[in-house]
Amino acid sequence: MATVVRGLREALVLFLIAVLVIAAAVGIWVAVGGGDFTHRLGVAFMIVGAVIGMTGDLTLSRIGMLPARSAFGLAPEREDGGGGRVLTGVGIFLFVSVPLIVVGALLIT
């Protein structure tokens, strides 16, 4: 149960950080270029949610490190959280990326 709570807390922190960064970036975007804040915020939420969904589990960095790891005779990295992280790629996708995309879609409509 403690691991579930830690995972949900980690997802909430990641989600809130993403929301703050997105809102700041869209605020700057609207200040410089003008336009509708809500629509641009929704688009930014969807884009960031998709990018986090594709890269949130460090798959791309693992693929990039495969030749170097094999050159040194190291085994491929495991698919666990590691480094103090509780969420794996699936958890990041389900609890961070999907909510960002849903909030973005709701803001656009």
Side-chain angles (χ1 to χ4, degrees):
M1 184 68 170
T3 304
V4 172
V5 172
R6 283 183 50 210
L8 290 175
R9 188 178 316 136
E10 181 179 342
L12 179 65
V13 168
L14 289 173
F15 181 80
L16 292 176
I17 289 171
V19 167
L20 292 175
V21 170
I22 292 168
V26 170
I28 293 169
W29 183 17
V30 169
V32 170
D36 183 30
F37 180 79
T38 306
H39 186 291
R40 290 184 181 191
L41 186 65
V43 170
F45 269 113
M46 292 178 68
I47 290 171
V48 170
V51 169
I52 290 175
M54 289 186 294
T55 63
D57 64 347
L58 303 175
T59 299
L60 296 178
S61 65
R62 285 189 185 127
I63 291 171
M65 288 298 296
L66 282 178
R69 292 185 69 81
S70 64
F72 291 112
L74 300 172
E77 295 182 44
R78 292 184 12 189
E79 186 67 31
D80 58 356
R85 286 181 36 209
V86 176
L87 292 176
T88 61
V90 174
I92 291 173
F93 175 75
L94 289 176
F95 297 115
V96 180
S97 297
V98 171
L100 284 173
I101 293 171
V102 169
V103 168
L106 291 175
L107 286 172
I108 288 176
T109 59

